[in-house]
Amino acid sequence: LELKRMSVSKDFRGRGVARALCAEVLSFARARGYGAVVLSTSAVQVAAQRLYESLGFRKVGAFSPSPLGALLAFHIYHYRCELPARQ
């Protein structure tokens, strides 16, 4: 399952909304038998990276979206959260 473009309005950040949304995605995926949830985020979204890592996501790759991005050391990170099979 891919989590794509999750965003929380600046007015509501810091209240646990993103954590709750992400946890719900993980729960949804587990309940439906998905083996993993994947997502991408940019190098500048440090708070998002911390959130995902705290929820069990691991960085599995990175790339620069363009030659200019590579020159500026701008990377997109790929994350993956493995979901154990249900017993």
Side-chain angles (χ1 to χ4, degrees):
L1 182 87
E2 182 179 13
L3 173 56
K4 196 161 179 124
R5 293 190 176 102
M6 183 172 74
S7 178
V8 175
S9 170
K10 288 181 183 180
D11 294 340
F12 295 96
R13 290 182 189 162
R15 298 182 187 185
V17 174
R19 178 172 297 280
L21 287 170
C22 197
E24 185 62 28
V25 168
L26 293 172
S27 178
F28 176 94
R30 275 189 199 98
R32 284 155 183 83
Y34 286 93
V37 175
V38 298
L39 60 86
S40 299
T41 192
S42 75
V44 298
Q45 293 173 301
V46 177
Q49 292 172 50
R50 281 193 212 120
L51 169 66
Y52 299 137
E53 290 170 6
S54 76
L55 290 168
F57 285 84
R58 298 294 167 245
K59 197 179 296 179
V60 294
F63 76 98
S64 292
S66 68
L68 179 59
L71 182 65
L72 298 173
F74 178 80
H75 300 291
I76 300 295
Y77 296 128
H78 296 292
Y79 280 86
R80 182 178 183 91
C81 182
E82 297 292 336
L83 302 175
R86 292 186 353 193
Q87 303 287 320

